[in-house]
Amino acid sequence: MAYAAVVSLAQTLEHINHHHHQYCCIPLICEEQLFESLLEKLSFLQAFLEDNAQIGVETVEGLEGRIRDLAYRAEDIIESHVSDQISSEQERYVDLELQNSEKKEVDLQLVMEETDSIVEQVMSIQNSCTVEDVQCSYASALPSSGGAPNDGNKMVGFDEDILELKARLCGESSTLQIISIVGMGGIGKTTLATNIFNDSLVVYHFHIRVWTTVSQNYHLRQVLLALVASLTDQKTTDLSNMMDEELAECVYKTLKGRTYLIVMDDMWSTKTWDDVRRFFPDDHNGSRVLITTRLSDVAVYASSSPLHQMRFLDEEWSWNLLRDKVFEQQSCPPDLERIGRTIAQSCGGLPLAIAVVAGILAKVDRTPYHWEKIVENISEAVASNAEHFSKILTLSYDRLPCHLKACFLYMGGFPEDYRIPVFKLTKLWIAEGFLKPSRPKSLEELAEEYLEDLVKRNLVLIVKKRSNGKIRFCGLHDLLRDLCMQKARKEEFLHVANNSGKGIQNQRRLSIRFEISKEIVDKCASVSPIRSILYFHWYIASLSFLRGYRLLRVLDLLEASLDSLRPEITQLFHLRFLALGLDCPKLSNRLKVPPSISKLHNLQTLMIRADAILLLPIEIWEMPQLRHLIFFQERGLPSPLDAAPSGGHVLENLQTLRVDNFRFTSTAIETMPNLKKLKVYYYHLFVAVWTEYCLSNLVHLYQLETLNLLFINSLIYKENPLPASFALPPNLKKLTLSGCTIPWRHMTVIGSLPNLEVLKLRDNAFTG
């Protein structure tokens, strides 16, 4: 997690630089020369971490851990000093603050010395790692070629896949076809390709069949050697004197004029295809190239025909595969079938997981008691009994670019089978500081790209899409989630807490799924620099423990039930993401958010679920870093006019707003110039809604892309004409109208929107 830690630290320093007036009492940090020097070294380390895959893992063993710990320590020193400064100003403990400041400056100086030491080590590695070293590392993983692996695996549940692919391979199309099989590790791509490669019809149809396993450590010469060795029945050692061009010519001439099938198993990059495609002649004789890959981008790039996307087995086929693996030709005893079906279902439709579990079951006594033991912890049984299985899943993680690893591991913090809302996940990634800014793209756009990349790598599942094709909910396969938790715990990145509090030491983030006890939170505060808490239980007795977590960035209590926004929360100066579940106190249907919420100067996302009318303070318009203001029930948001009568406060970062009965005055519009998503509910309304709530001013939200106007329990039963010259924001891409009772003759207002992609009209949106 070194890369994510360095990116986060760099963003923290940049933030201090851009808001130096808030941090003027931190002389060591704000000293320009030191500041620029530290940023320059962090940039150097970022570049090194981005490129270290080319150098080799062994070369940098232990170094990433040093870089990670350095970045964590520096960020803790800087932000704890800021907290001390804020506390001393509020409580006027000036002498104590000066003492702490001196200590922090000494600590930070030690960090600078450690940074210099690491930079020197990195430069030494770069100078000693030559091109020849890199090529030697590739040569250590020689691609295999020749016949397909023949492990006797009979495909269960993929009969339709086999028939479809055989038809495409042996079909009437005479042009060279490149067909890609794509799916996550362990889903059966290689087994499917093997069954097809060895099928009697395929053997008869093609004059030449060659199987090449490319693997992740690709090097062109090794692929050429493997292909020539297979095509000419020569040993690779006998071909070592041939130049690359001679090998390539040999492949081309051998295939020329003959009907061939080349299988390239486990391809990891588009560069591989760019390098080898010219060796495969197209003589319009029905030749085929079959590729297997985990990466959808690679499959799309190489394929000349539709992709073959692997799917998970359903419950019935999962049981059939498990039964056949365990009992072979024998029948399953009735008293084991129910338990066996439960075990098969727990594998999540992943054939490799089912095969591993079958191997475990084959070694234990065939009794309900022993099988029930397997059911109790299927994931642990798989992980501890299948080194090959673990390597296959780990390989997908190891091959991730460094900027995606933290985002992927973070998803392990959500509960099993959890439908993860994308709008929430991306905001959490941003708050954590995982994303390296890349203008002109916004951080939100980058986060969506990161998620799409993880989906294309078949590591993240799409649970539900939005009407515009974007992902609404996503999730993880249970076994990939287990991988996330294992890696995250090992990296001291995130820990899924248990009732004992075991394993918490040095962890940066906590995921909690049970009622939290005082003993555990006290232990966490004493042994770990906790930066994030994801809480997935409905009850929480007290938030007093937060006093020990003053460096928190993320506090997700959306699924909890609090009776108010407690004062402990508003003391968390570094908080960037705050999600709360609030229950209305007895004898009241209103909940007030205190003005002290404005103390959270760094807050980016405020998300509140309440079972009552939520009353927000004027001071909410004084939070300059606010990007997303989201409420799930009726709320009262005051106009920013009272907060900034002179128009002094502008929330330039505000992108998402959900409000009720809100008046879009000129001042309000000027306060949120970069708003991209707006959802407004209007309750109990009369006819003059468009004028009363200044909705004609919406046209001046030039960055707005998504607009929802929802009239609920409206008293409007007749036509509600739009004002003269009414127009909607010109850059709208998605528009939802409900209960507006607009006359159909005003439909031209919508028809004039040049960028509109999605239009939803609900519940008398138009009438007449």
Side-chain angles (χ1 to χ4, degrees):
M1 291 302 100
Y3 183 81
V6 171
V7 168
S8 177
L9 174 58
Q11 289 186 60
T12 298
L13 292 172
E14 291 283 7
H15 178 74
I16 291 174
N17 186 39
H18 292 150
H19 302 85
H20 55 84
H21 59 282
Q22 296 181 24
Y23 306 98
C24 57
C25 296
I26 313 178
L28 182 64
I29 302 171
C30 293
E31 185 180 327
E32 185 175 355
Q33 186 176 358
L34 178 63
F35 181 88
E36 291 180 355
S37 174
L38 184 54
L39 271 180
E40 182 180 350
K41 289 167 184 174
L42 289 175
S43 178
F44 172 77
L45 292 177
Q46 279 185 37
F48 167 73
L49 292 168
E50 288 169 350
D51 297 337
N52 72 8
Q54 299 176 10
I55 299 172
V57 176
E58 294 180 2
T59 311
V60 294
E61 185 177 2
L63 182 57
E64 285 199 20
R66 282 186 68 194
I67 296 173
R68 177 199 65 205
D69 294 343
L70 168 76
Y72 283 165
R73 191 159 64 253
E75 200 159 46
D76 289 345
I77 291 170
I78 292 169
E79 294 197 340
S80 63
H81 186 60
V82 171
S83 293
D84 291 342
Q85 175 190 337
I86 299 298
S87 298
S88 66
E89 289 177 356
Q90 293 175 349
E91 301 174 13
R92 304 190 183 281
Y93 295 149
V94 179
D95 293 339
L96 179 61
E97 197 277 328
L98 287 174
Q99 293 175 14
N100 289 336
S101 176
E102 292 173 359
K103 182 179 183 302
K104 294 295 191 306
E105 289 182 18
V106 172
D107 291 340
L108 194 57
Q109 191 60 49
L110 293 175
V111 166
M112 291 298 299
E113 293 173 4
E114 172 72 356
T115 304
D116 291 338
S117 172
I118 290 175
V119 168
E120 288 180 9
Q121 184 179 352
V122 169
M123 294 177 69
S124 175
I125 290 173
Q126 290 178 329
N127 292 334
S128 63
C129 187
T130 63
V131 175
E132 288 76 13
D133 294 329
V134 175
Q135 290 181 348
C136 287
S137 69
Y138 285 127
S140 64
L142 183 69
S144 62
S145 187
N150 189 8
D151 54 8
N153 279 339
K154 178 186 176 183
M155 293 293 286
V156 173
F158 291 96
D159 293 347
E160 293 182 4
D161 299 73
I162 292 174
L163 289 174
E164 178 189 335
L165 285 170
K166 282 168 60 177
R168 293 174 66 180
L169 289 173
C170 305
E172 296 181 358
S173 176
S174 60
T175 58
L176 175 64
Q177 295 284 313
I178 294 87
I179 302 168
S180 292
I181 303 174
V182 63
M184 70 174 284
I187 203 168
K189 301 182 297 296
T190 299
T191 304
L192 176 60
T194 301
N195 276 262
I196 293 168
F197 188 87
N198 293 323
D199 183 85
S200 57
L201 175 62
V202 173
V203 172
Y204 174 80
H205 184 80
F206 293 99
H207 300 150
I208 295 176
R209 293 177 305 119
V210 177
W211 181 287
T212 302
T213 301
V214 182
S215 78
Q216 72 277 15
N217 289 325
Y218 160 77
H219 192 259
L220 176 60
R221 179 169 180 80
Q222 308 308 329
V223 173
L224 287 172
L225 285 169
L227 285 171
V228 173
S230 177
L231 290 168
T232 62
D233 291 328
Q234 298 184 62
K235 295 181 179 179
T236 54
T237 53
D238 298 334
L239 304 170
S240 58
N241 292 327
M242 295 180 67
M243 303 292 289
D244 287 0
E245 287 303 319
E246 293 176 309
L247 292 169
E249 184 180 1
C250 181
V251 172
Y252 186 87
K253 287 183 175 180
T254 305
L255 297 177
K256 184 67 177 173
R258 307 177 74 179
T259 304
Y260 60 84
L261 169 63
I262 306 292
V263 175
M264 303 194 71
D265 185 35
D266 200 20
M267 188 181 289
W268 285 87
S269 74
T270 57
K271 183 181 183 302
T272 305
W273 180 245
D274 285 336
D275 288 344
V276 302
R277 64 193 305 172
R278 59 193 175 94
F279 309 145
F280 305 138
D282 184 5
D283 293 315
H284 297 277
N285 58 2
S287 293
R288 301 287 187 264
V289 177
L290 184 63
I291 294 170
T292 73
T293 180
R294 306 182 190 194
L295 309 180
S296 297
D297 280 351
V298 172
V300 170
Y301 184 82
S303 291
S304 58
S305 58
L307 307 185
H308 187 88
Q309 181 73 48
M310 296 293 290
R311 54 187 169 77
F312 294 108
L313 294 174
D314 62 23
E315 292 182 15
E316 191 63 30
W317 281 117
S318 295
W319 163 240
N320 290 342
L321 177 58
L322 183 71
R323 182 191 59 206
D324 291 354
K325 290 281 186 182
V326 174
F327 298 100
E328 297 180 349
Q329 304 301 321
Q330 303 174 20
S331 60
C332 172
D335 60 338
L336 293 179
E337 181 170 343
R338 179 190 61 80
I339 308 171
R341 286 182 176 274
T342 301
I343 293 173
Q345 183 181 353
S346 299
C347 293
L350 195 64
L352 183 59
I354 296 170
V356 170
V357 172
I360 298 170
L361 293 175
K363 297 175 183 177
V364 302
D365 293 341
R366 294 179 180 178
T367 65
Y369 172 80
H370 287 92
W371 280 35
E372 288 283 5
K373 288 292 184 182
I374 302 296
V375 173
E376 289 175 7
N377 200 334
I378 190 75
S379 299
E380 183 177 330
V382 170
S384 60
N385 285 272
E387 183 180 354
H388 175 61
F389 176 78
S390 178
K391 283 182 178 179
I392 286 178
L393 293 186
T394 300
L395 184 60
S396 291
Y397 171 75
D398 290 341
R399 288 288 298 177
L400 279 176
C402 55
H403 67 274
L404 292 180
K405 287 187 175 181
C407 296
F408 177 60
L409 292 192
Y410 198 81
M411 298 178 72
F414 290 88
E416 187 175 354
D417 299 325
Y418 194 85
R419 284 163 47 107
I420 304 173
V422 170
F423 80 91
K424 180 178 178 180
L425 176 66
T426 52
K427 292 165 182 56
L428 285 166
W429 285 349
I430 293 169
E432 294 283 1
F434 295 158
L435 280 63
K436 180 181 177 181
S438 178
R439 295 181 179 178
K441 294 178 182 176
S442 68
L443 292 175
E444 286 75 11
E445 289 170 331
L446 277 177
E448 288 186 1
E449 288 183 6
Y450 283 17
L451 179 62
E452 289 169 2
D453 199 347
L454 289 169
V455 169
K456 290 175 182 177
R457 293 170 183 273
N458 288 285
L459 287 171
V460 173
L461 304 175
I462 297 175
V463 176
K464 187 177 181 179
K465 285 190 173 184
R466 296 186 178 276
S467 53
N468 59 3
K470 292 187 177 181
I471 306 169
R472 184 171 187 177
F473 292 99
C474 63
L476 290 178
H477 189 281
D478 290 347
L479 295 171
L480 282 175
R481 177 178 165 273
D482 292 336
L483 173 69
C484 283
M485 291 192 296
Q486 293 167 14
K487 291 285 185 182
R489 184 168 55 249
K490 181 180 178 182
E491 294 275 357
E492 298 179 352
F493 174 77
L494 180 146
H495 179 65
V496 178
N498 52 41
N499 286 299
S500 67
K502 183 179 179 181
I504 287 176
Q505 186 152 357
N506 295 327
Q507 298 292 334
R508 304 287 288 186
R509 299 165 184 86
L510 279 183
S511 175
I512 303 170
R513 293 106 195 258
F514 53 86
E515 182 184 342
I516 195 166
S517 66
K518 185 178 185 303
E519 292 76 15
I520 290 179
V521 295
D522 288 345
K523 181 177 181 180
C524 293
S526 64
V527 301
S528 297
I530 299 296
R531 290 308 194 100
S532 303
I533 294 178
L534 306 176
Y535 194 76
F536 297 98
H537 191 269
W538 69 272
Y539 181 74
I540 185 166
S542 171
L543 292 181
S544 59
F545 70 88
L546 289 177
R547 296 189 185 98
Y549 293 79
R550 60 183 189 148
L551 300 185
L552 269 186
R553 284 187 176 181
V554 169
L555 182 59
D556 181 5
L557 301 174
L558 193 64
E559 298 187 20
S561 297
L562 303 171
D563 57 10
S564 65
L565 197 156
R566 311 281 180 80
E568 293 91 343
I569 293 176
T570 60
Q571 301 301 314
L572 301 173
F573 178 79
H574 298 288
L575 208 59
R576 299 181 184 178
F577 180 99
L578 176 60
L580 298 173
L582 299 177
D583 282 349
C584 184
K586 294 180 180 179
L587 305 178
S588 175
N589 67 340
R590 295 172 182 267
L591 281 167
K592 286 187 177 182
V593 175
S596 56
I597 188 75
S598 62
K599 292 181 180 179
L600 302 178
H601 291 290
N602 295 299
L603 195 66
Q604 299 172 350
T605 298
L606 177 60
M607 196 178 295
I608 300 180
R609 173 194 56 77
D611 64 353
I613 297 175
L614 196 64
L615 302 179
L616 300 166
I618 290 290
E619 288 78 7
I620 206 158
W621 296 106
E622 300 174 8
M623 303 174 69
Q625 299 303 315
L626 204 59
R627 302 175 74 90
H628 307 283
L629 196 54
I630 301 171
F631 308 100
F632 297 98
Q633 273 77 29
E634 187 173 351
R635 77 295 294 171
L637 180 64
S639 167
L641 183 62
D642 299 325
S646 61
H649 290 280
V650 177
L651 301 189
E652 293 183 351
N653 295 305
L654 190 64
Q655 297 187 25
T656 305
L657 180 64
R658 295 185 185 180
V659 288
D660 294 334
N661 290 359
F662 190 80
R663 295 183 69 243
F664 288 93
T665 62
S666 298
T667 302
I669 295 294
E670 292 170 1
T671 303
M672 50 185 92
N674 296 311
L675 198 67
K676 289 189 174 182
K677 295 182 180 180
L678 174 62
K679 191 170 188 176
V680 194
Y681 291 87
Y682 288 103
Y683 293 89
H684 313 295
L685 301 177
F686 294 92
V687 177
V689 58
W690 303 104
T691 304
E692 177 69 20
Y693 290 96
C694 308
L695 295 182
S696 293
N697 286 332
L698 290 176
V699 70
H700 301 299
L701 292 173
Y702 300 113
Q703 305 301 320
L704 196 67
E705 296 179 354
T706 301
L707 174 62
N708 289 36
L709 287 177
L710 309 170
F711 294 3
I712 309 297
N713 299 326
S714 174
L715 297 180
I716 302 173
Y717 296 110
K718 57 183 180 179
E719 287 187 354
N720 183 24
L722 297 174
S725 303
F726 182 87
L728 290 167
N731 287 317
L732 275 184
K733 294 181 179 179
K734 183 177 179 180
L735 174 63
T736 301
L737 300 174
S738 177
C740 306
T741 62
I742 303 170
W744 281 108
R745 65 180 179 274
H746 292 317
M747 189 67 177
T748 53
V749 172
I750 296 175
S752 64
L753 295 172
N755 300 307
L756 194 65
E757 298 172 354
V758 177
L759 173 63
K760 294 183 179 181
L761 303 178
R762 296 172 174 166
D763 301 330
N764 297 314
F766 281 78
T767 189

